[in-house]
Amino acid sequence: MTHDATVETLSNTAMAVRSKSSSLLGAWWGPAVWISATGVFAGTRASDIAGRETFFNVAQPWVVYVFLAGLVGLLTFGFVRHASLWMIGKPTDGILKEIPARLRNVGRYGAGQDKVRRDRYAGIMHWCISSSIIVLTIVTAQVALQDDTPLDFLHGNYYLFFSFYGDLFGLIGLIGVGMALYRRYFASHHRIRWDERVEDHLIIVGLGLILVTGFVVESARIIETELVQHPDWARWSFVSWVLAQGIDSFGFSVSSPENPQSEILALHTWSWWVHVVLAFSWLGLIVFTRLDHLIFAPINAFFLRTDAPGRLAEIKDIEEQEVFGVGHVQDFTWKQLFELDACVRCGRCTEVCPANISGQPLSPMHLIQDLKAHLADVGPDIQMHRHATGDAGREVSPIAMVGDVIKDETLWACRTCGACVQECPVLIEHVPTIVDMRRFLVMNEARLPANAQAALENIEMRGHPWRGTALERTTWMEGLGEVAIFDGTQDYLYWVGCSGSLVERNLPITQSVFKLLRESGASFGVMGQEETCNGDPARRLGNEYLFQILAQQLIETFNGKNVQKVITNCPHCFNTFKNEYPQFNGNFEVLHHTEFLAGALEDGRLKPKYAVTSDVTYHDSCYLGRMNGTYDAPRQIIEMVPGANLVEMQRNLSRGLCCGAGGGNMWQEEIGERRVNHVRTEEAVSTGADQVISNCPFCIQMFEDGVPSIQPEEEGRIKPFDVAELLEAAVFGPKMDSNPTED
Amino acid sequence: MHLVVCAKQIPDPDTPPSAFKIDEATNSVVPAPGISPILSQFDGIAAEAALRIKESQGDDSKVTVISMGADSARAAIKQVLAMGADEGVLLNDEAFEGGDSYTTAKVLAAAINHLGDVDAVFCGRQAADWDMGQVGLLLSEELNWASAIIAKGVEYGDGNISVQRVLTDGFETVSTQLPAVVTVSNEFGEPRYPKLPQIMAAAKKTVTQLGASDLGLDPSDVGASGSRLKVERLYIPETDSNVEFMEGDTPQEQAAALVQKLQADKLI
């Protein structure tokens, strides 16, 4: 059921059409690799006709090597300086395990730039620029090899071909720079200007000048040595050839035995020096600016987690910790600190952040940048303190990282929806970093919003987060006939969850799932009164201690009952059982109800007989979609409901916008201009659909709450339903028809 | 300075009404599987008030939490210990069972005298199960101490305690020398959320258990045998509602009919 949906256009036949990511070499590096390979081939067959003196006209070419040595020194210095800051972090578990998967990530996200392409314009722009830098570096290296080593290959056909692709990638680079300049200076209110710095102008304008001066150098040389003498060679450098003709038309003097100091030679000399100095200076920016992503982004791709994105790291031996969670920069893992340096301030994370979209006080990009600045600020002192005293140095920083640098309300605004992580082109994982700081707030400082505290206390005292509910865990069973209690003889445990049993709106969903499971002939039981919170809200709110207690207790209960397979109502329970319980040796086969129901439809155990004529839109919940990659099963069900016509929202699949309830925000007051659920409801309403279908009790509640605000008129309101409710209507007929099994 | 917090473990008052069952034969509440035993909310607030004074007084102050109840009441004691209290005492004896507010106050007073050096006692304004609100006052009588009940603010300085008391039409500030008993109301504010290091420290603290003989109490004076309150009948009141639509062709006629009906039923 799960696969990686990177292509966002969705056809109505949901399963087959979305292709696997067409990444890696074929799509992106293909042209560069192909051209180079052809060039090498041509080189082996070269005749000795075409060629040139590589350092033609330049008096002190050795200076280049001085620059190169300087650059290498500078890069080493920069790397050591950064590395010494990362090293103040804690060890990172498992970072050298699963090497093949990590190398694949480097190929896919580093070389293939898989995430960069999620913004098509930026994808093209970035490929133009990065490929030209790489190819032109290879071009330059070939010149150096030809000139300063015994190798002799820049002549004949290969020389001509070399001239061609050098110019081609120079042109591609200029196109990229042009696109970048347009975005930076002419496109209105763009995310890349949310944190604009002087270096951004230097990088892009500098690169443009390097490319332009490169062409001027080449043109001047062509005017001097080829334009008249070998016009058939000159044409291969097709851009410089045109430029050379343009320059030549001004009638500048060309050298000759009578006039060895011509204007064109002077132009060549000057532009060569400018080109070389600019190029090395620009590469030197790697040390001081976000250009360091050239190095850090591919390395961070290597460091990318290889386990489920929905899993938060466990605090091992929690009772023996000195400090709980991360309140000081040195309590992050070194990988988390490394990530900070990879950030390029592109703003993609902030652009998709539901809190930010709603005007709430969280911008993931600024959070990462603030942490980065804080690390640079206090890191060296911490390092020195540690060196001198050997203790952790938590008292070194005069400012509190959590509270002063990162405000409490910023951390609480996070929905843990993972949209930022999904978009980040350099693979930063914002969510675990945010939750680590929440852990510090909750467990170490006991500083948390009153409602979040009430939810946690409720989980501790009552085993569920719904204080004041008038319902019992068995209320939903009324009118359903016999409901089997799981005793280890059934195949599946149907896990209803707190929201599925204690929140009135969700009872019909639980009943729908139950009836459909029964109709499908599945062998299943429920736990009824014995269910308790599995700890997901506690973990996401930062109370890892409470989570671990709940998880261990429930795993014990499951094992005691011989539970093997679990079907959950709620994608949050689903994610916790599936991805987080294995951390505590709780290994169960876990299905979300949409997965089970889609399977039952596919093999005919469930048959939709009644038409539900309706335009419906589908909302991907974060924890079924982004976190677990299940985009197809719910859509498959909708496809199989006769009469239901699926209209997709603009933000869907891996780009789906959170309903606003994730990360424990179901139990918090929202601070900011708008509520997230109002924004999302608006998007659902704008599809013109009659129903908004989802798969998560929280999402449904958020829509129920949002609809009356967005559509004050009762008539024609969009109706929120779970996929199971839609399917129930198709299998058993509309709800008002009495169901014989019901009474 | 030694402060005592009296804490009671009660059946969760947030239990859905449908889960709440009564055995009318024995006039007692039937414990249901869905009802969790919890610390009475007002007692958590009382603990908060005591802890704030302790923190303002520095290291030589301590807070002892006392609970009378079954062994399960240790959870309530641990909760207050996790908030920052220093010691816990469980008053657990068969002889204490089935008592009323009066016998409860008597046992608590004996325990406080047993501790000896107590400067002030903090109770919730009432327990959130029976909501009688008497133990605090009766306790001050037993101890023969001053009392200030239903506090929304408490301050301590120079041997005096100053208490803001909630009244029906505002509040008053009263001041008394210690020792004294204070009962604290929800207007005081929320109890703190325990920090994890304290939760773990609380888990390691031992809770002293005392019975009637330890306190020098005669079993016939406490519990059911000492109780002055007899429950005649315990029942869930039946509620009923009827809906009647007022007839009439126009809103004016309907309104007139409504007035007539309300007057006839002597409701206006």
Side-chain angles (χ1 to χ4, degrees):
Chain A
M1 285 301 158
T2 63
H3 77 100
D4 194 329
T6 45
V7 183
E8 299 298 319
T9 47
L10 184 80
S11 115
N12 276 345
T13 48
M15 278 302 277
V17 178
R18 263 170 296 130
S19 61
K20 285 249 177 193
S21 85
S22 57
S23 63
L24 301 184
L25 298 174
W28 284 87
W29 294 99
V33 171
W34 182 82
I35 289 168
S36 298
T38 319
V40 171
F41 177 70
T44 60
R45 303 169 61 91
S47 66
D48 274 324
I49 306 163
R52 61 154 154 145
E53 190 190 333
T54 44
F55 280 109
F56 153 86
N57 185 42
V58 173
Q60 294 92 12
W62 50 269
V63 172
V64 173
Y65 292 98
V66 176
F67 285 155
L68 186 62
L71 179 66
V72 170
L74 195 61
L75 288 175
T76 312
F77 157 76
F79 190 81
V80 169
R81 196 186 53 154
H82 280 291
S84 67
L85 289 180
W86 309 324
M87 298 311 281
I88 69 172
K90 287 185 169 172
T92 309
D93 283 348
I95 201 96
L96 292 176
K97 287 182 188 149
E98 304 193 54
I99 300 288
R102 293 181 183 279
L103 291 176
R104 272 200 299 280
N105 285 339
V106 175
R108 179 175 169 187
Y109 299 115
Q113 301 173 11
D114 215 42
K115 297 265 186 180
V116 184
R117 285 181 286 148
R118 288 173 69 86
D119 173 344
R120 189 180 293 246
Y121 183 98
I124 294 170
M125 178 202 87
H126 193 268
W127 180 79
C128 287
I129 291 176
S130 57
S131 63
S132 84
I133 290 171
I134 289 170
V135 172
L136 294 178
T137 305
I138 294 169
V139 163
T140 310
Q142 290 181 63
V143 173
L145 287 175
Q146 169 72 26
D147 202 56
D148 299 327
T149 69
L151 295 173
D152 180 20
F153 57 96
L154 271 189
H155 46 67
N157 287 345
Y158 181 66
Y159 168 67
L160 297 178
F161 186 71
F162 167 86
S163 303
F164 167 73
Y165 75 73
D167 266 37
L168 176 65
F169 278 88
L171 181 64
I172 288 173
L174 277 177
I175 291 170
V177 169
M179 291 174 80
L181 289 172
Y182 175 78
R183 249 199 183 175
R184 185 160 294 283
Y185 298 114
F186 300 102
S188 59
H189 304 299
H190 199 271
R191 57 175 164 79
I192 58 169
R193 292 203 295 273
W194 287 342
D195 186 6
E196 194 168 57
R197 300 178 192 178
V198 177
E199 62 183 66
D200 301 341
H201 309 291
L202 288 180
I203 290 169
I204 198 60
V205 173
L207 182 59
L209 286 176
I210 291 166
L211 292 167
V212 168
T213 52
F215 277 122
V216 171
V217 173
E218 176 74 347
S219 303
R221 188 191 60 75
I222 286 174
I223 296 171
E224 281 285 340
T225 66
E226 288 180 4
L227 204 55
V228 178
Q229 301 89 323
H230 301 287
D232 54 327
W233 298 358
R235 264 184 223 116
W236 285 87
S237 304
F238 65 104
V239 178
S240 309
W241 178 63
V242 173
L243 186 61
Q245 285 171 323
I247 295 172
D248 197 40
S249 69
F250 287 98
F252 295 116
S253 63
V254 180
S255 67
S256 64
E258 302 83 53
N259 176 23
Q261 295 303 319
S262 70
E263 286 165 336
I264 293 295
L265 276 184
L267 174 69
H268 181 266
T269 310
W270 278 103
S271 52
W272 188 88
W273 279 105
V274 172
H275 179 73
V276 167
V277 170
L278 274 178
F280 278 102
S281 310
W282 191 87
L283 289 169
L285 289 178
I286 291 176
V287 177
F288 303 106
T289 68
R290 61 178 185 158
L291 257 192
D292 56 12
H293 79 277
L294 257 66
I295 297 164
F296 295 153
I299 299 178
N300 205 37
F302 181 85
F303 291 154
L304 178 67
R305 68 188 309 155
T306 48
D307 57 357
R311 170 187 292 182
L312 290 171
E314 96 186 85
I315 300 181
K316 291 203 175 93
D317 303 318
I318 191 163
E319 307 205 341
E320 279 138 47
Q321 302 295 313
E322 257 177 86
V323 170
F324 303 93
V326 177
H328 307 85
V329 74
Q330 59 269 50
D331 288 327
F332 282 121
T333 64
W334 62 256
K335 192 265 185 181
Q336 284 174 306
L337 299 180
F338 178 87
E339 277 180 357
L340 306 177
D341 276 333
C343 176
V344 291
R345 289 179 284 113
C346 68
R348 292 176 190 225
C349 50
T350 295
E351 190 175 42
V352 297
C353 173
N356 182 68
I357 288 168
S358 311
Q360 298 179 10
L362 167 62
S363 159
M365 173 182 80
H366 290 97
L367 179 128
I368 294 295
Q369 285 296 322
D370 289 347
L371 288 175
K372 179 178 175 170
H374 179 65
L375 174 64
D377 207 15
V378 303
D381 286 347
I382 293 171
Q383 220 182 338
M384 282 200 298
H385 178 89
R386 279 195 176 175
H387 197 68
T389 66
D391 76 26
R394 293 197 182 88
E395 310 301 323
V396 171
S397 168
I399 39 172
M401 184 179 77
V402 175
D404 290 341
V405 179
I406 306 296
K407 302 266 179 255
D408 291 13
E409 66 259 33
T410 297
L411 299 173
W412 294 117
C414 176
R415 267 63 184 183
T416 70
C417 74
C420 48
V421 180
Q422 178 78 39
E423 293 306 324
C424 182
V426 298
L427 293 320
I428 293 170
E429 296 171 82
H430 315 66
V431 172
T433 292
I434 290 175
V435 173
D436 277 342
M437 290 188 278
R438 281 188 177 185
R439 287 173 171 177
F440 178 76
L441 277 179
V442 172
M443 294 190 288
N444 220 72
E445 304 296 292
R447 207 163 79 214
L448 62 167
N451 291 0
Q453 178 178 330
L456 287 175
E457 285 170 343
N458 228 40
I459 294 172
E460 279 165 45
M461 289 192 285
R462 305 183 171 95
H464 66 78
W466 297 110
R467 183 172 185 186
T469 178
L471 306 175
E472 292 183 72
R473 289 198 185 264
T474 50
T475 309
W476 64 270
M477 299 178 187
E478 284 162 22
L480 288 175
E482 197 196 328
V483 178
I485 297 295
F486 186 87
D487 57 13
T489 59
Q490 299 96 333
D491 294 341
Y492 293 96
L493 167 68
Y494 170 37
W495 179 264
V496 175
C498 308
S499 298
S501 59
L502 300 173
V503 177
E504 189 129 26
R505 166 61 187 97
N506 297 320
L507 265 48
I509 302 172
T510 304
Q511 291 164 339
S512 299
V513 176
F514 176 86
K515 284 188 224 167
L516 290 165
L517 289 179
R518 186 163 62 187
E519 177 73 13
S520 76
S523 145
F524 71 101
V526 299
M527 266 172 61
Q529 207 64 262
E530 258 192 282
E531 272 195 15
T532 55
C533 176
N534 68 12
D536 164 75
R539 188 169 230 196
R540 273 145 191 94
L541 281 169
N543 197 334
E544 175 70 8
Y545 182 68
L546 178 59
F547 167 74
Q548 291 192 7
I549 291 173
L550 293 167
Q552 279 153 2
Q553 283 172 352
L554 198 52
I555 288 168
E556 217 168 284
T557 308
F558 276 13
N559 288 337
K561 290 181 182 294
N562 194 25
V563 172
Q564 313 270 347
K565 299 178 185 178
V566 186
I567 299 171
T568 74
N569 246 5
C570 168
H572 294 265
C573 296
F574 169 72
N575 179 67
T576 299
F577 288 145
K578 184 176 174 182
N579 297 321
E580 301 195 324
Y581 274 27
Q583 290 173 319
F584 307 93
N585 298 320
N587 296 298
F588 310 101
E589 190 186 323
V590 189
L591 291 173
H592 183 258
H593 71 258
T594 54
E595 295 178 314
F596 181 88
L597 296 176
L601 279 172
E602 208 165 14
D603 58 26
R605 281 174 291 155
L606 285 175
K607 291 190 185 65
K609 287 174 278 207
Y610 299 86
V612 184
T613 312
S614 181
D615 286 339
V616 304
T617 189
Y618 176 71
H619 166 83
D620 289 280
S621 70
C622 308
Y623 276 79
L624 190 64
R626 237 183 331 261
M627 294 297 187
N628 287 291
T630 303
Y631 301 108
D632 297 329
R635 287 183 169 82
Q636 252 182 315
I637 297 174
I638 296 171
E639 291 300 321
M640 292 186 72
V641 169
N645 173 37
L646 179 60
V647 196
E648 290 283 349
M649 282 188 261
Q650 193 104 47
R651 288 191 242 246
N652 65 349
L653 302 164
S654 68
R655 292 176 208 266
L657 180 69
C658 174
C659 69
N665 272 267
M666 187 80 231
W667 302 280
Q668 289 183 47
E669 287 299 326
E670 287 179 83
I671 311 170
E673 289 161 26
R674 299 198 68 192
R675 286 162 177 266
V676 177
N677 64 332
H678 290 183
V679 176
R680 189 52 168 167
T681 306
E682 236 166 43
E683 296 184 355
V685 167
S686 72
T687 61
D690 314 310
Q691 303 180 11
V692 50
I693 306 293
S694 190
N695 55 61
C696 169
F698 299 126
C699 296
I700 300 282
Q701 280 169 262
M702 292 312 261
F703 281 119
E704 290 284 0
D705 177 69
V707 169
S709 303
I710 301 303
Q711 294 179 309
E713 290 294 321
E714 215 166 317
E715 196 160 319
R717 272 185 191 165
I718 195 167
K719 291 187 190 65
F721 286 114
D722 189 277
V723 183
E725 293 181 294
L726 180 71
L727 183 61
E728 186 200 3
V731 171
F732 300 110
K735 280 210 165 158
M736 34 286 232
D737 289 2
S738 69
N739 184 342
T741 57
E742 226 183 300
D743 299 320
Chain B
M1 185 173 199
H2 189 182
L3 306 168
V4 163
V5 175
C6 300
K8 183 179 183 186
Q9 190 181 50
I10 60 169
D12 185 1
D14 265 337
T15 301
S18 57
F20 189 75
K21 303 262 163 24
I22 276 175
D23 180 0
E24 296 200 15
T26 58
N27 281 336
S28 61
V29 178
V30 182
I35 303 181
S36 339
I38 66 162
L39 171 71
S40 175
Q41 296 96 311
F42 297 111
D43 298 348
I45 301 167
E48 178 66 35
L51 289 167
R52 286 191 201 172
I53 291 181
K54 175 194 144 150
E55 282 154 5
S56 73
Q57 294 308 305
D59 287 343
D60 54 344
S61 300
K62 72 169 179 180
V63 170
T64 301
V65 51
I66 298 181
S67 183
M68 189 185 94
D71 205 53
S72 68
R74 283 175 190 274
I77 294 174
K78 291 273 175 183
Q79 198 175 331
V80 180
L81 289 174
M83 285 173 69
D86 303 279
E87 288 170 18
V89 177
L90 175 67
L91 308 174
N92 182 6
D93 195 316
E94 272 182 31
F96 301 155
E97 284 172 22
D100 60 4
S101 304
Y102 167 73
T103 59
T104 304
K106 203 176 175 85
V107 174
L108 290 175
I112 288 159
N113 285 327
H114 180 84
L115 291 173
D117 57 347
V118 177
D119 297 292
V121 175
F122 289 82
C123 306
R125 62 176 284 174
Q126 65 207 54
D129 50 357
W130 292 97
D131 292 317
M132 299 222 201
Q134 296 186 20
V135 170
L137 269 175
L138 291 167
L139 180 60
S140 73
E141 286 297 309
E142 285 288 329
L143 292 166
N144 202 17
W145 291 2
S147 70
I149 61 163
I150 316 189
K152 73 184 274 264
V154 183
E155 272 166 43
Y156 172 74
D158 301 331
N160 277 302
I161 195 160
S162 148
V163 178
Q164 287 186 334
R165 293 191 55 234
V166 180
L167 305 176
T168 47
D169 54 354
F171 67 89
E172 66 177 10
T173 305
V174 296
S175 170
T176 172
Q177 284 196 317
L178 295 184
V181 175
V182 180
T183 77
V184 186
S185 182
N186 47 306
E187 287 88 347
F188 185 87
E190 290 289 314
R192 68 193 58 192
Y193 190 70
K195 296 179 183 179
L196 186 49
Q198 291 175 317
I199 295 176
M200 293 196 297
K204 294 194 185 97
K205 285 179 190 164
T206 49
V207 175
T208 315
Q209 183 166 330
L210 300 173
S213 57
D214 303 310
L215 300 176
L217 289 168
D218 182 346
S220 63
D221 283 349
V222 292
S225 41
S227 178
R228 300 176 183 188
L229 181 83
K230 297 287 173 239
V231 179
E232 293 286 339
R233 186 185 163 210
L234 189 66
Y235 64 100
I236 297 171
E238 284 192 14
T239 51
D240 200 12
S241 63
N242 277 313
V243 180
E244 193 177 324
F245 289 93
M246 290 298 131
E247 302 291 334
D249 294 333
T250 65
Q252 286 81 358
E253 283 179 35
Q254 287 175 312
L258 178 62
V259 169
Q260 267 186 357
K261 170 81 181 160
L262 291 174
Q263 281 172 342
D265 289 352
K266 299 205 163 35
L267 288 167
I268 54 174

